[in-house]
Amino acid sequence: MALKILMAVTGLLLVGFLYAHMIGNLKIFFGAETFDHYAHWLRTIGTPLLPQDWYLWIQRSVLTFAVVAHIVAATILARRARKARPVRYVHRPKVQGSYAARTMRWGGVIILLFVIYHILDLTTGTLNPNGKPGEAYANVAADFAPDRWYVTLFYTLSIVAVGFHLRHGLFSAVRTLGQRTARGERIARGAALLLSVVLVVGYLSVPFAVLTGLVD
């Protein structure tokens, strides 16, 4: 039970970050000056109490811990579930479950690979065709340019995987944290679906805005 609670708590922490990050991303629609100012502001949070960039490093440390704890807990629970199953080759009726529930594992792998790529692309600038510090707007515009359609495709597939993962994960987290009523389950399912759709649309609006010329 402790591992399930750990998964739920770390998952909710990561969801909170995803939403905050999405809201920040949407500032790109207000123009280069606003978006670049926002990117610079992130580096100054906590100053002068904290030196510049310290908040970002604290945030990165907390998120890294949450991701690692989430993955470790998921791996241990998956191994326990596999060991608890009857003989693999004995025919058993299929357990009913959503598409998201059946694909949580490979979805998690896709998300992890995407996070690594995203850091190398828009955080360190290593894989970004512009990759200049302080030019957040230009970096995003260069990243999702029409001739780099394969990047937009990978980004889209990854964000959709996040949506499926989030839909099932949010519902599971609420159940783990004590929700058991039928009415609460209906509300939890509906809320998880709505939050997942909003997140996917919010994130995908940026690359498709660049792809269609709305952001250049």
Side-chain angles (χ1 to χ4, degrees), residues 143-193:
D143 199 33
F144 298 114
D147 62 328
R148 286 169 56 85
W149 57 268
Y150 49 89
V151 174
T152 301
L153 177 61
F154 175 58
Y155 187 90
T156 300
L157 293 174
S158 300
I159 293 300
V160 170
V162 170
F164 279 115
H165 201 86
L166 182 64
R167 177 172 174 257
H168 179 73
L170 281 174
F171 172 72
S172 298
V174 171
R175 173 176 283 183
T176 296
L177 295 175
Q179 200 307 110
R180 290 291 186 273
T181 67
R183 181 173 182 274
E185 182 169 311
R186 289 195 299 271
I187 293 174
R189 287 186 183 277
L193 176 60

Side-chain angles (χ1 to χ4, degrees), residues 23-35:
I23 293 170
N25 284 354
L26 295 178
K27 289 183 178 292
I28 199 169
F29 292 104
F30 293 94
E33 184 177 352
T34 298
F35 193 65

Side-chain angles (χ1 to χ4, degrees), residues 117-141:
Y117 174 82
H118 194 59
I119 290 172
L120 293 174
D121 181 18
L122 292 174
T123 300
T124 66
T126 306
L127 300 179
N128 189 277
N130 191 54
K132 296 179 181 178
E135 297 185 7
Y137 186 97
N139 290 341
V140 172

Side-chain angles (χ1 to χ4, degrees), residues 39-184:
H40 174 72
W41 171 77
L42 289 175
R43 298 183 178 278
T44 63
I45 295 176
T47 57
L49 180 63
L50 296 174
Q52 184 165 310
D53 287 346
W54 271 41
Y55 167 79
L56 282 179
W57 282 109
I58 292 171
Q59 176 182 272
R60 288 164 182 163
S61 299
V62 172
L63 290 173
T64 299
F65 169 79
V67 169
V68 171
H70 197 77
I71 293 172
V72 170
T75 302
I76 294 173
L77 288 170
R79 287 179 177 175
R80 287 181 181 176
R82 192 178 300 115
K83 289 180 180 179
R85 290 173 188 163
V87 179
R88 183 174 301 178
Y89 298 103
V90 176
H91 176 73
R92 305 190 310 274
K94 290 185 179 180
V95 178
Q96 293 297 320
S98 67
Y99 178 78
R102 295 194 301 270
T103 57
M104 284 292 279
R105 293 175 192 171
W106 65 258
V109 172
I110 291 175
I111 294 168
L112 179 61
L113 294 175
F114 168 69
V115 168
I116 294 171
Y117 174 82
H118 194 59
I119 290 172
L120 293 174
D121 181 18
L122 292 174
T123 300
T124 66
T126 306
L127 300 179
N128 189 277
N130 191 54
K132 296 179 181 178
E135 297 185 7
Y137 186 97
N139 290 341
V140 172
D143 199 33
F144 298 114
D147 62 328
R148 286 169 56 85
W149 57 268
Y150 49 89
V151 174
T152 301
L153 177 61
F154 175 58
Y155 187 90
T156 300
L157 293 174
S158 300
I159 293 300
V160 170
V162 170
F164 279 115
H165 201 86
L166 182 64
R167 177 172 174 257
H168 179 73
L170 281 174
F171 172 72
S172 298
V174 171
R175 173 176 283 183
T176 296
L177 295 175
Q179 200 307 110
R180 290 291 186 273
T181 67
R183 181 173 182 274

